[in-house]
Amino acid sequence: MEPPGNPGGTPVELELTLENVESALYQLYFDPDMEHKNVAQKWLTQAQASAQAWHFCWALLSPDKIPEVQFFGASTLHTKISRHWSDLAADQHESLRTQLLSHILQFSSGPKMVLTRLCVALASLALNVIPQAWSQPVADMVRAFQPHKPDPEDGSGAKASQDPHTHCLTLLELLTVLPEEFQSSRLAQARRGQLREALAGEWAVVCPLLRQLMQSQDSSSQVKEKVLKCLSSWVALDVPLGEIQELLHDCFTALSDPELFDAAVETVVNAISQPDCQRYINALLSLMPLVLGLYDQLKTAAQDGDMETSHGICRIAVALGETHSRVLLEQVDHWQEYLALVNMILFCTGIPGHYPVNETTSSLTLTFWYTLQDDILSFEEEKQCVYLQVYRPVYFQLVDVLLHKSHYPSQEEYASWSSDDKEQFRIYRVDISDTLMYVYEMLGAELLSNLYERLGRLLMDPQQSAVWQDTEALLFGFQSIAETIDVNYSDVIPGLIGLIPRINISNILLADTVMYTIGSLAEWLADHPVMLGGILPMVLQGLAKPELSVSSVSTLKRICRECRYDLGPYAQDILTVSQDVLVKEVHKSSQCMWLMQGLGFLLSALPSEEILGRLHSLITPHIQQLDTLAQQELNPTNKQSIIHIVGMLASLFTTLDINRQADCLEGAASSRLPVPQSTQNPVVVVLQQVFTLIQTILSKWLHDSEVVEAVCGVFDKSVRTLLHDFGPMVPQLGEMLGEIYSAFPQASALDLARQMVHIFAGEEHHIPHIRSLTEVLTSTTLTIFQQGPRDHPDIAESFMDLHAQILKRKPDLYLSEQFDVKALFYCGILSLKFPETPTVKAASQFFTEFLSRCKDMPSFGDVLQRDGKLLTETVLQAVGGESPSSLTEHFSEVLLNLSRHCPALLSQWLKETLQTPGFPCAQLTAEQKHTFSQQLLREQTNKRRVKEIVKEFALLCRGPQGSGYSDY
C-alpha cells in the first residue's frame, strides 16, 4: 500500500482521519519495505503531535482493533498528556482521568503492552495535577480497583469486577509505573521537589497495601512478584529505610521461593543501594543477619553450579558491603558481623569455576575490595592500625583467591572456549590485575616477598610437581604490580630475574606472561644492566615464535628503550634475530612497526661510527624488496607490501635519533657535544640514497592516497625526530612535495609541509625553499576552493593548519606577491562552513593567527576592513543554526579574537548584521541580539566567558529541545 502521502505540503491536520492513521499503522507494522515503514513512522509522529490526536487515540483503543493499533492509541495518549498538557482546559482534567481509569479497567486482562501504556499515561496525568488537583491519587486508585461494584455517585468510572486477581495486578502495575514516570520525566527543579514530596506522602498508603499482599496466603506468586517490583520502583524515591524494614524482611523470605527469587534480589539490591540508607544505621544493622543468613544458600548454590542463585545472593552481599562500607566499619560493636560479611564476599570472589564459562559472579565483587581498602586507609592513623590488624590477613587471602581465579583452564578446555569467552576472560584478568596493583598499597613489600617465596618453591623444589598455571598465575601477580608500581627498591626482583630463566616456556600462555613480566621490569633492568645477559636470550627466543608476537615484540621494544645504553654487547644478537624474523615475516605488520621502533632506540645508542653500517645492514633487504615492487604492476597485494615497508622505515626513523646519546652525555660534560658538521645524520644519508626510489614509487602510485600518505609519513616522522638535522633534505623534498601536490593534491603533503614550516621557517638559508613550496601548495589549493572544496574536508583542514603555522612562524612569507591574502581569507570563511569538527577547528585557528597579525601587516588589515563583516556574518549564521551545535566552541574563538583585535569594527559589524530581520534566526528578539552584542564586546580576554555567551546565544537561536511537565 502507498503511505498516506502529504502532497503539496498540505498541513498534516487536513489528512488526519482514523482510516489514514490505521492505514499508516498497518504499513509501519506489516509492510516489508523499510522505506515505506520510515515514511509511515514519520507521518505517525506528526499525527501524534496534532490536536486531533486527543480524539482519534480513543477510537484506536476500541476493543475490535488489533493490539498494535490499540498500543499506538495508548502511546499517543501518553504523548499528548506528557508533552501537550497545556492543550487541555482545566475543566477537562477530571473527565480525562475518569476515562483513563475506565479504559485501564477495560484492558486489565490484556493485552499487557496496551495496559502498561495506559497506566503510564495515567501516571503522567497524575504528575501534571498532583497535589493541587488530585490530592490523594494512590487512595483514589486503590478505591477504583476495589473488587466490588462501585457507587454510581463515585464518578471514578470503575466497572463491576468479577476478577479481583486481575484488578489487583492492574493496580500494582499502576502503582509501579507512577514513580518510574516521575524518575524519567523532564521537570523543573522546583516542580520535581514538590512532586517528590507529594509522592513520598503517598507511601503511607502504598506501604500497608504491599505488606498486606506479601503476607496474604491468598496472594499468588504473580501478585507477590508484582509487589516486589512495585516496592523496587518506590524505593528509588528515597523512601526511608526504616519505613520499608518490614517489607525488606518479607523480601528476604521471598528469596527462598524460586519463582520470586529474581524479583526479590532486584528489590533488595535497589533498596539497600540507596545512599540515603546510611542515615538509618539501626535498620542497616538489622539487615546484616538477614544477609549473613543467606550464606548457606550461597554455598549450596555454588556447590550445585546454580549460577543464578549464587549471582543473586552475591549482588545482595556486595550491595550492603560496598554501598555502606564506611558506616558499617564504624560500628565497632558489630565488627565481627561486618567481618563475616567481608568473608562472605571473599567466598563470592573465589566461587568455584572458570569465569565466564562456569561462573559470572566473582567479577561483581572486585570494586568492593577497592571501596573497603579506601575506607580503611582513610581513617586516622591510630584507628587505621586497628582495622589493618583485622583486614590485612583478609587481603592476603584475597590475593591467593585472585591468583587462583586468574588461572587458565587446561589447554584442551581453553581451546574449546568461544572467542567471546576468551575475550571476556582476558578482560576479567585485566580487572584482577588492576585489583592486585591496588591491593599492593595496603600490603606493600610483603606481598612481593610472598609471591617470590611461592614462585621459588615451585621452581626450585624438586618435590613440587607444579602445573604451569600455578607458575603463570604468580608471574601474572608480579607483572600486575610491577607494571604500575615502582619496584626498583624491592629486594626480591634480583631473585625473580634469576628465577625466570628456569621457567620452561614451551607452553605458549605461560611464555606470554613471562614476556610481559620481563617487559614490566625493563626500568629495573636499566638500573641493573648486569642482569640483561640472563634475560635477553629468552626474549629473543620468544621473538621467533609467531604465537608470542605481541608480548615478545613489546617486551624487546621496552628493553631497547629503557636499557639502550647498556645493550652494546648484545646489539648484534638483537639485530640478527630481528632481521631474521622481519625477512621471514614472522610477525604481523603492526608488530613489525613496534620492532622497528625498538631497533631505532638500539641503533641510536651505538657508537656513531657503527650506526650507518648497522642501519644499512638492517634495511637493505627491505629496500631491495621495495625496489622490486616499484617495478611491478599496480595491484592491492603490491600496494600493501609497499605501505608495509615504508611504514617500517617510518617507525625506525621515529626513534633513531643520535642526538639522544649526546643529550645523555650532557651531565658528564659542560655542554652538549656537537655532532661534527661534516658528519651527516645516518637517517638523512639513507633518505638521500633512497630518494630516487621513493620518487619512482610516487610517480606510479600518485593517485593512491594511502601510498602517498605512507611515503609522506616517512619524511614526517624523520623531520619530527631529527629537527634541524633534517636540513639537507629540505631542498629536494620541498621540490618533490610541490610536484606531487600539483599533480594530485592530498592532505598528507600539506601536513608534511606544515612540519617543514614549523622547523625550518626560521632558518635564512631554507626560506627560499619553504617560500617556493608554500606558494605552489597555496596556488593549487586555491584552485580546489574555486571549484568547490566540499568533497575535500581533509585538504581544507590541512590547508588551514598550514597557513596558521606560516602566520605563527614566518608571516613575512605573505609579503610575496604570489600570496593572495584576500583569497586565503575567503578560504577560511568557506572552511568555517564545513560540518566536520577538525576543519572548523583548523579554520578558527587560522583566523586566530590572522587577526593577531592585522596590526603588523597592512595587507591583512585591508582585507579585514573589507571582508570582516562577511566573517562576522558567517560565524553568527553558523552559531544560529547553520552548523552543528558541537562546533560552537570554535566559533567563539573567532568572535573572541575579533573582539580582542578589532573591537570597534566588530561593534559596527554586529550592529549591521544583527539588525537584519530574522538573522541569524527568526525567534530572536531585538533585545536578545543587543544583549548578546554588548556581552560579547565587553569580553576581550576571558575565553571561558565568551564560550558561555556564544553558547547561550546558540541555545536562544536553536530553541528549546522539548519541555517537561507543567511547572505549577
Side-chain angles (χ1 to χ4, degrees):
M1 79 180 215
E2 285 298 309
N6 189 10
T10 310
V12 71
E13 285 81 3
L14 297 181
E15 301 216 18
L16 264 179
T17 63
L18 185 62
E19 292 74 19
N20 266 350
V21 173
E22 284 196 69
S23 175
L25 283 167
Y26 274 86
Q27 184 171 300
L28 176 66
Y29 288 119
F30 305 117
D31 193 321
D33 188 317
M34 279 308 298
E35 193 173 332
H36 287 178
K37 284 180 182 288
N38 291 336
V39 170
Q41 172 78 48
K42 187 174 180 182
W43 188 86
L44 286 165
T45 302
Q46 290 177 298
Q48 279 188 322
S50 71
Q52 280 123 303
W54 284 108
H55 307 291
F56 73 65
C57 61
W58 299 109
L60 296 175
L61 285 165
S62 172
D64 60 339
K65 304 296 183 188
I66 63 171
E68 289 83 356
V69 171
Q70 293 172 333
F71 177 77
F72 182 77
S75 293
T76 300
L77 199 49
H78 172 244
T79 299
K80 300 307 291 181
I81 292 170
S82 62
R83 297 183 190 172
H84 304 275
W85 182 251
S86 58
D87 292 355
L88 292 179
D91 58 5
Q92 294 177 289
H93 296 171
E94 184 67 30
S95 62
L96 176 61
R97 187 198 346 168
T98 303
Q99 209 172 351
L100 253 177
L101 275 167
S102 173
H103 275 76
I104 288 170
L105 283 164
Q106 182 184 320
F107 281 93
S108 59
S109 298
K112 175 73 166 62
M113 62 179 183
V114 181
L115 173 63
T116 299
R117 215 72 204 129
L118 287 170
C119 288
V120 171
L122 183 58
S124 184
L125 180 149
L127 295 179
N128 275 304
V129 296
I130 293 173
Q132 286 83 350
W134 197 359
S135 58
Q136 296 180 312
V138 172
D140 290 346
M141 289 174 190
V142 171
R143 194 161 43 249
F145 287 90
Q146 288 296 321
H148 57 73
K149 188 170 182 178
D151 187 336
E153 304 293 321
D154 187 357
S156 68
K159 297 178 180 177
S161 168
Q162 300 302 317
D163 188 358
H165 178 260
T166 301
H167 280 200
C168 180
L169 289 172
T170 303
L171 173 61
L172 288 169
E173 177 72 15
L174 193 48
L175 294 179
T176 301
V177 300
L178 182 58
E180 290 173 351
E181 182 70 1
F182 168 76
Q183 299 287 10
S184 63
S185 60
R186 298 176 62 172
L187 297 161
Q189 193 171 354
R191 176 64 177 153
R192 181 171 289 279
Q194 184 187 32
L195 276 174
R196 184 182 288 277
E197 187 179 336
L199 290 174
E202 295 297 300
W203 174 246
V205 184
V206 176
C207 183
L209 172 67
L210 299 185
R211 190 90 213 281
Q212 177 191 343
L213 290 171
M214 276 304 286
Q215 295 191 321
S216 170
Q217 293 183 343
D218 296 333
S219 295
S220 65
S221 291
Q222 197 179 359
V223 166
K224 288 185 176 179
E225 183 181 359
K226 202 71 193 160
V227 168
L228 292 168
K229 289 181 178 176
C230 184
L231 173 58
S232 188
S233 175
W234 280 84
V235 296
L237 294 177
D238 297 331
V239 175
L241 186 62
E243 295 182 17
I244 59 169
Q245 205 170 329
E246 293 175 336
L247 268 169
L248 277 179
H249 284 239
D250 295 336
C251 294
F252 276 93
T253 304
L255 288 168
S256 58
D257 184 340
E259 288 187 62
L260 301 177
F261 182 82
D262 289 343
V265 167
E266 205 63 46
T267 304
V268 171
V269 168
N270 284 347
I272 60 183
S273 296
Q274 301 299 321
D276 194 53
C277 291
Q278 296 186 1
R279 294 196 292 140
Y280 309 98
I281 292 170
N282 289 334
L284 270 180
L285 291 173
S286 75
L287 295 177
M288 195 80 84
L290 295 176
V291 176
L292 293 175
L294 301 172
Y295 204 167
D296 288 339
Q297 190 180 350
L298 171 65
K299 289 177 180 174
T300 304
Q303 190 175 341
D304 296 345
D306 181 352
M307 288 169 65
E308 287 186 12
T309 300
S310 54
H311 196 85
I313 294 174
C314 175
R315 285 183 63 201
I316 292 172
V318 169
L320 181 61
E322 187 175 336
T323 312
H324 310 294
S325 168
R326 188 176 182 91
V327 169
L328 294 172
L329 279 170
E330 287 173 335
Q331 309 311 307
V332 290
D333 292 341
H334 298 268
W335 71 271
Q336 287 173 308
E337 283 180 283
Y338 189 57
L339 180 59
L341 179 64
V342 170
N343 279 312
M344 183 176 174
I345 295 172
L346 182 63
F347 175 84
C348 294
T349 306
I351 206 157
H354 282 291
Y355 181 95
V357 175
N358 313 116
E359 64 90 7
T360 55
T361 299
S362 57
S363 61
L364 301 175
T365 66
L366 297 181
T367 54
F368 164 76
W369 300 107
Y370 287 74
T371 304
L372 178 59
Q373 179 175 315
D374 283 346
D375 287 335
I376 290 171
L377 297 181
S378 69
F379 287 119
E380 62 273 13
E381 193 172 345
E382 189 178 335
K383 205 171 183 181
Q384 189 183 119
C385 288
V386 176
Y387 284 111
L388 287 174
Q389 280 185 312
V390 176
Y391 288 101
R392 265 175 66 88
V394 176
Y395 272 81
F396 273 112
Q397 285 180 273
L398 173 65
V399 171
D400 290 344
V401 166
L402 291 175
L403 292 179
H404 182 72
K405 292 298 293 182
S406 71
H407 274 203
Y408 281 97
S410 67
Q411 284 186 289
E412 295 75 24
E413 186 183 344
Y414 190 64
S416 72
W417 283 15
S418 69
S419 57
D420 186 50
D421 286 339
K422 287 178 179 177
E423 176 60 12
Q424 283 193 56
F425 183 60
R426 185 193 68 78
I427 294 168
Y428 176 66
R429 277 173 53 103
V430 170
D431 292 339
I432 287 178
S433 176
D434 291 342
T435 309
L436 288 169
M437 179 270 292
Y438 207 75
V439 165
Y440 180 82
E441 187 182 350
M442 179 183 275
L443 303 182
E446 193 179 341
L447 172 56
L448 288 178
S449 300
N450 182 301
L451 296 176
Y452 172 65
E453 286 167 14
R454 290 168 60 184
L455 184 63
R457 285 196 299 273
L458 280 179
L459 296 176
M460 304 295 287
D461 187 346
Q463 302 301 316
Q464 292 272 354
S465 56
V467 293
W468 66 267
Q469 286 96 331
D470 293 333
T471 306
E472 193 279 334
L474 288 167
L475 284 173
F476 172 72
F478 263 114
Q479 179 222 328
S480 301
I481 296 162
E483 199 65 65
T484 47
I485 305 293
D486 183 4
V487 295
N488 279 9
Y489 303 104
S490 170
D491 55 1
V492 303
I493 302 301
L496 173 63
I497 295 287
L499 287 174
I500 286 176
R502 293 176 171 272
I503 299 171
N504 180 346
I505 60 169
S506 57
N507 180 282
I508 292 301
L509 294 170
L510 172 58
D512 219 30
T513 303
V514 168
M515 292 297 146
Y516 283 125
T517 305
I518 295 170
S520 70
L521 298 171
E523 288 184 39
W524 186 91
L525 288 166
D527 292 334
H528 306 83
V530 70
M531 307 297 281
L532 281 165
I535 287 291
L536 267 175
M538 286 189 85
V539 178
L540 296 178
Q541 183 187 343
L543 201 64
K545 297 182 178 181
E547 307 93 332
L548 299 178
S549 183
V550 176
S551 59
S552 62
V553 171
S554 65
T555 294
L556 182 61
K557 179 185 169 184
R558 290 176 78 168
I559 289 174
C560 288
R561 184 182 65 214
E562 302 298 336
C563 311
R564 56 183 176 269
Y565 300 110
D566 300 295
L567 290 177
Y570 316 105
Q572 188 56 55
D573 289 344
I574 294 171
L575 287 165
T576 300
V577 174
S578 299
Q579 182 65 283
D580 188 52
V581 299
L582 288 169
V583 170
K584 290 178 179 175
E585 298 182 356
V586 170
H587 303 293
K588 291 182 180 176
S589 186
S590 55
Q591 277 74 59
C592 292
M593 307 304 159
W594 292 358
L595 183 53
M596 279 299 208
Q597 287 175 12
L599 297 177
F601 288 123
L602 173 67
L603 290 170
S604 299
L606 295 179
S608 54
E609 64 274 10
E610 291 184 28
I611 295 176
L612 189 57
R614 291 190 185 274
L615 177 58
H616 272 137
S617 173
L618 174 64
I619 66 172
T620 295
H622 308 291
I623 298 299
Q624 289 171 344
Q625 187 186 356
L626 195 61
D627 194 18
T628 304
L629 289 164
Q631 313 308 320
Q632 293 177 354
E633 62 183 55
L634 308 183
N635 64 46
T637 305
N638 287 345
K639 170 185 166 178
Q640 288 309 315
S641 298
I642 289 171
I643 290 173
H644 172 71
I645 295 170
V646 170
M648 286 202 300
L649 293 176
S651 297
L652 179 65
F653 298 157
T654 301
T655 55
L656 207 173
D657 182 10
I658 59 174
N659 288 329
R660 279 207 184 98
Q661 188 176 25
D663 288 339
C664 285
L665 297 173
E666 234 177 302
S670 58
S671 62
R672 174 170 167 165
L673 298 175
V675 177
Q677 291 301 311
S678 59
T679 308
Q680 277 200 334
N681 190 292
V683 171
V684 172
V685 173
V686 168
L687 286 175
Q688 287 177 328
Q689 290 170 347
V690 300
F691 198 81
T692 304
L693 172 57
I694 286 173
Q695 284 180 306
T696 304
I697 291 169
L698 281 176
S699 65
K700 291 188 72 169
W701 292 88
L702 184 60
H703 290 76
D704 192 300
S705 60
E706 290 179 69
V707 175
V708 175
E709 188 175 341
V711 170
C712 287
V714 174
F715 294 106
D716 185 75
K717 296 289 193 298
S718 302
V719 75
R720 286 171 186 268
T721 305
L722 303 183
L723 302 177
H724 298 284
D725 283 357
F726 187 83
M729 292 295 303
V730 170
Q732 58 195 129
L733 178 59
E735 186 179 346
M736 184 185 80
L737 265 185
E739 289 172 359
I740 65 169
Y741 190 79
S742 298
F744 193 73
Q746 295 185 42
S748 52
L750 294 170
D751 294 335
L752 177 53
R754 176 166 54 88
Q755 280 302 319
M756 293 171 68
V757 169
H758 178 62
I759 304 298
F760 298 108
E763 298 184 17
E764 280 304 316
H765 58 291
H766 287 308
I767 285 175
H769 305 294
I770 297 296
R771 177 183 287 111
S772 174
L773 171 61
T774 52
E775 285 175 357
V776 171
L777 298 179
T778 300
S779 171
T780 304
T781 310
L782 288 178
T783 305
I784 294 173
F785 270 89
Q786 286 163 3
Q787 294 168 350
R790 182 63 199 95
D791 294 334
H792 307 283
D794 54 340
I795 288 178
E797 175 196 345
S798 297
F799 186 61
M800 290 291 102
D801 281 334
L802 169 63
H803 277 280
Q805 188 67 255
I806 295 171
L807 284 164
K808 189 182 291 184
R809 300 285 293 156
K810 196 65 177 173
D812 294 354
L813 290 179
Y814 290 100
L815 299 175
S816 163
E817 292 180 3
Q818 300 297 318
F819 277 116
D820 185 341
V821 177
K822 182 179 178 181
L824 286 173
F825 194 88
Y826 277 115
C827 289
I829 288 175
L830 286 173
S831 299
L832 284 174
K833 295 182 178 183
F834 277 68
E836 289 84 3
T837 301
T839 308
V840 174
K841 182 180 179 181
S844 73
Q845 288 172 339
F846 165 75
F847 281 114
T848 296
E849 296 297 333
F850 185 95
L851 294 167
S852 69
R853 299 287 182 184
C854 283
K855 288 180 181 175
D856 308 328
M857 308 276 290
S859 59
F860 286 22
D862 293 344
V863 170
L864 185 64
Q865 285 273 2
R866 188 169 57 248
D867 297 315
K869 180 183 173 183
L870 177 61
L871 172 61
T872 306
E873 193 175 281
T874 302
V875 172
L876 291 177
Q877 262 183 325
V879 170
E882 287 285 317
S883 295
S885 58
S886 58
L887 300 178
T888 303
E889 176 184 343
H890 304 300
F891 298 124
S892 69
E893 290 274 343
V894 180
L895 290 171
L896 171 65
N897 281 284
L898 283 167
S899 180
R900 177 182 294 166
H901 298 293
C902 48
L905 287 170
L906 178 62
S907 175
Q908 176 189 332
W909 296 329
L910 285 171
K911 186 177 179 182
E912 290 172 4
T913 52
L914 290 175
Q915 72 183 8
T916 307
F919 181 87
C921 66
Q923 62 258 44
L924 279 182
T925 65
E927 185 182 351
Q928 288 171 328
K929 294 180 185 182
H930 178 73
T931 302
F932 168 69
S933 297
Q934 293 306 304
Q935 287 178 330
L936 184 62
L937 291 166
R938 273 199 297 270
E939 298 296 339
Q940 295 182 9
T941 55
N942 191 333
K943 185 185 289 190
R944 182 185 58 79
R945 178 64 187 132
V946 170
K947 282 182 185 176
E948 289 173 358
I949 293 166
V950 176
K951 186 177 180 182
E952 287 168 13
F953 185 68
L955 287 171
L956 286 173
C957 292
R958 293 161 197 263
Q961 301 298 307
S963 54
Y965 294 108
S966 313
D967 191 358
Y968 276 76

